[in-house]
Amino acid sequence: MDAIAAKWRPTLSMITAAVIVSVLVLPLVGLVFFRFYENQLVRQTESELIAQAAVLGAVYQRAIAAAPPEAFPIGPARPPSDPAIVSDERYAPINAALDLATSPILPKRPDAHAAFIAPEPGALAVGAELYSITAQAQRTTLAGFRLLDANGVVIAGREEVGATLSMLEEVRAARMGRFAAVMRVRERDTAPPPLYSISRGTNIRVFVAYPVFVDNQVRGIVYLSRTPDNIFRQLYAERERLAAALLLVLACAAAIGAVFVRTVTRPMRDLARRAEAITGGDRAAIGPLAHHGTRELASLTQSFMTMAKRLSDRSDYLSTFAAHVTHEFKTPLSAILGAAELMQDGEASMSAEERRRFLAHIRIDAERMSALLDRLRDLARADNPELGGSVKLSEIVFALRARFAGLEIVSDADAVLPMSHENALIVFANLADNARRHGATEVSIGAESDAQRISVRFSDNGAGVSHGNRARIFDPFFTTRRDEGGAGMGLGIVRALLRAHGGDVALAESDRGAAFELTLLKPV
């Protein structure tokens, strides 16, 4: 069977890991997206409130400066600027810093308390004037406005005018001259949303406290709040992009499914169909698959097809072998039965000479059957020999010279053969016997080797092999010397032994006699 082409293929473990990781990552990616987008909505809300507070603070600052000095209390001095933020004396940027993952979510904002010090009428007049501006702006910005004096008392802000918010930590920070932004639970909620909530931003409200300075002293506070936009409303507004992202996710899932089908499912189905076809006797199904998928499936297919090919060849061999054995035994058995019947029927009239002749035929045919049985036993051993061992070719040559005294064996090779002395002697003894039966008087044995294999050339000066018989000489029971006792199994035993050791034998070209090329793989 043709070997499967060697190329990079993913392993089944890699495919399984990729599918598992994808299944785990996709929900996490979606959750991260929700968190990131919702956090951006909170940051956007904080940035908008900072911008509104800065504008309203500038108006409030001018109104305080124009009011009588006693109208607004004086708070602490402006704290030193942060050099990491202020890069120019003209600018003092405030960056949005709230984070849903790290910033605390405080309880809902408590109602304002009664103030110990009532605001001055002048401050209330400024608050009333500015309230008309904030009320107009609120229709558009949807932000809640409160204007506080330096003590944290509300001077503009609906029903809370005259009450104090100084107990709030963001207001306390602003009274000290520091900007503060916090997240609080919305009024309709009683507890902070859990961290695993799909949407935390819709359950909170952002509060900013912006200090207003006059002559570098805290004179007022702009206190704003607003609920971040709903993430689901934003997603609906971005439904086209969301649909594109969903299509991308579906495409990724489809790609993963296609890879899994191509690398695992389809090769397995193809292999199962091939197995059924081979079981039904279709030998054309023995061969590489169109797509092998993973390395494990490619290896499995290679092993399965090799096994199927060997079993198919073995089945053919056994069928042919059985036919040959039947034929070889049928002739002597028929002769024995015929001679026995003649002797039984003509026992009274048969002469002693005829009886001896018939008994001689029976003995010859019985000896032929015994020889066939011996060769069959040798062939069975050759098919399943004891592997391993090594022997020098010079030792085999010495043993051949002792066994075949009438045959001149010429060799100066001293290669080491990767097989036992017994198996090597069986191989070369059968070749020498075959040469002698075909009239050879001289045999030459030479050897060559490289990094991977050993090649041995066995040639003789006998009658050689005719062109018509070259394709059949390794077939079991094929012989041109049957009348001389040839069983036609010697070369079959040689091939079986060599193939069992990972080698082979082939008829080679020769100017005279017959020549055989034996190959054996060197042990790794």
Side-chain angles (χ1 to χ4, degrees):
M1 192 196 76
D2 296 336
I4 295 174
K7 65 178 184 178
W8 185 90
R9 293 183 177 92
T11 65
L12 188 59
S13 299
M14 291 171 59
I15 299 297
T16 305
V19 172
I20 293 175
V21 169
S22 300
V23 171
L24 293 176
V25 166
L26 286 178
L28 294 178
V29 170
L31 184 59
V32 169
F33 168 77
F34 268 88
R35 284 284 187 269
F36 175 78
Y37 195 72
E38 193 174 35
N39 207 56
Q40 289 301 110
L41 291 178
V42 172
R43 293 277 181 91
Q44 178 184 351
T45 300
E46 183 185 2
S47 298
E48 292 174 357
L49 291 177
I50 291 172
Q52 296 174 44
V55 173
L56 186 56
V59 176
Y60 192 15
Q61 180 186 40
R62 181 171 296 183
I64 293 173
E70 68 278 3
F72 288 89
I74 300 175
R78 183 196 297 266
S81 299
D82 186 351
I85 298 178
V86 180
S87 57
D88 192 306
E89 293 182 356
R90 296 173 299 170
Y91 303 107
I94 300 176
N95 297 318
L98 292 177
D99 191 300
L100 284 170
T102 59
S103 300
I105 297 179
L106 305 178
K108 72 174 185 177
R109 201 211 78 180
D111 296 333
H113 296 174
F116 291 103
I117 303 176
E120 294 290 331
L124 294 175
V126 170
E129 181 180 354
L130 294 179
Y131 179 74
S132 61
I133 300 175
T134 60
Q136 291 292 330
Q138 188 176 21
R139 296 179 181 178
T140 302
T141 64
L142 304 179
F145 293 87
R146 299 289 186 273
L147 297 181
L148 287 62
D149 63 15
N151 294 327
V153 178
V154 180
I155 64 170
R158 295 183 179 177
E159 67 278 359
E160 291 184 323
V161 173
T164 182
L165 295 174
S166 59
M167 69 288 191
L168 302 179
E169 63 178 66
E170 61 269 29
V171 173
R172 288 199 299 268
R175 289 181 62 191
M176 300 302 297
R178 298 188 306 273
F179 169 82
V182 298
M183 292 181 291
R184 291 183 177 275
V185 179
R186 293 178 63 183
E187 293 183 2
R188 66 183 182 184
D189 298 315
T190 58
L195 286 173
Y196 53 82
S197 172
I198 293 180
S199 178
R200 304 182 76 210
T202 56
N203 297 327
I204 64 173
R205 192 171 179 87
V206 178
F207 292 82
V208 299
Y210 183 88
V212 177
F213 300 96
V214 176
D215 297 330
N216 286 326
Q217 299 288 325
V218 177
R219 301 296 298 278
I221 299 171
V222 176
Y223 189 52
L224 305 181
S225 66
R226 205 191 80 184
T227 300
D229 204 352
N230 191 307
I231 187 172
F232 296 105
R233 186 170 64 231
Q234 288 290 321
L235 291 177
Y236 179 76
E238 299 291 337
R239 58 186 178 277
E240 294 182 358
R241 292 189 179 89
L242 186 62
L246 181 60
L247 289 176
L248 178 61
V249 171
L250 292 176
C252 292
I256 293 173
V259 169
F260 194 83
V261 169
R262 179 180 175 84
T263 57
V264 178
T265 307
R266 188 166 69 181
M268 291 183 69
R269 285 201 300 260
D270 194 7
L271 184 58
R273 286 194 295 267
R274 294 285 192 94
E276 292 178 0
I278 293 171
T279 302
D282 184 8
R283 299 188 181 183
I286 301 176
L289 304 179
H291 300 282
H292 294 100
T294 64
R295 284 197 292 261
E296 291 88 349
L297 286 175
S299 177
L300 175 63
T301 302
Q302 178 76 63
S303 301
F304 176 80
M305 294 300 175
T306 300
M307 178 186 69
K309 181 66 167 59
R310 290 181 178 177
L311 289 176
S312 177
D313 293 343
R314 193 67 176 174
S315 177
D316 291 342
Y317 172 77
L318 290 176
S319 298
T320 304
F321 185 79
H324 283 305
V325 169
T326 302
H327 175 75
E328 291 297 322
F329 276 93
K330 185 175 182 180
T331 300
L333 278 175
S334 298
I336 291 173
L337 287 174
E341 289 175 357
L342 287 173
M343 291 179 65
Q344 185 179 14
D345 293 339
E347 181 179 1
S349 60
M350 186 176 294
S351 65
E353 179 63 26
E354 289 176 334
R355 186 178 294 106
R356 283 194 297 271
R357 187 171 66 252
F358 280 117
L359 288 175
H361 288 318
I362 291 174
R363 181 178 58 79
I364 291 172
D365 288 329
E367 289 175 352
R368 181 180 176 186
M369 291 178 63
S370 178
L372 282 173
L373 289 173
D374 290 340
R375 301 300 277 173
L376 287 174
R377 184 175 63 252
D378 292 341
L379 182 59
R381 290 175 179 175
D383 280 336
N384 297 281
E386 293 184 5
L387 303 180
S390 62
V391 63
K392 290 184 178 181
L393 186 57
S394 58
E395 297 178 10
I396 300 301
V397 171
F398 180 80
L400 290 177
R401 287 170 177 165
R403 179 178 295 188
F404 299 92
L407 195 62
E408 183 180 357
I409 301 176
V410 179
S411 177
D412 58 358
D414 198 22
V416 177
L417 304 180
M419 57 195 314
S420 67
H421 184 280
E422 179 183 0
N423 290 334
L425 186 57
I426 291 174
V427 168
F428 287 96
N430 275 283
L431 290 174
D433 182 66
N434 184 73
R436 184 180 60 180
R437 289 179 181 274
H438 289 79
T441 58
E442 180 181 317
V443 168
S444 176
I445 302 176
E448 295 180 354
S449 64
D450 54 27
Q452 295 181 337
R453 66 189 62 209
I454 299 171
S455 297
V456 179
R457 183 179 177 89
F458 186 100
S459 58
D460 61 54
N461 63 346
V465 182
S466 66
H467 182 75
N469 292 333
R470 294 178 69 87
R472 302 178 59 194
I473 61 172
F474 291 105
D475 292 345
F477 306 105
F478 174 77
T479 180
T480 58
R481 296 291 186 272
R482 192 173 304 279
D483 294 339
E484 301 172 10
M489 299 176 65
L491 293 180
I493 293 173
V494 170
R495 170 172 280 185
L497 263 175
L498 290 174
R499 287 185 173 179
H501 286 79
D504 207 348
V505 61
L507 185 65
E509 296 295 334
S510 177
D511 295 335
R512 62 167 188 162
F516 296 91
E517 192 75 24
L518 289 69
T519 57
L520 284 166
L521 296 178
K522 288 185 176 181
V524 179

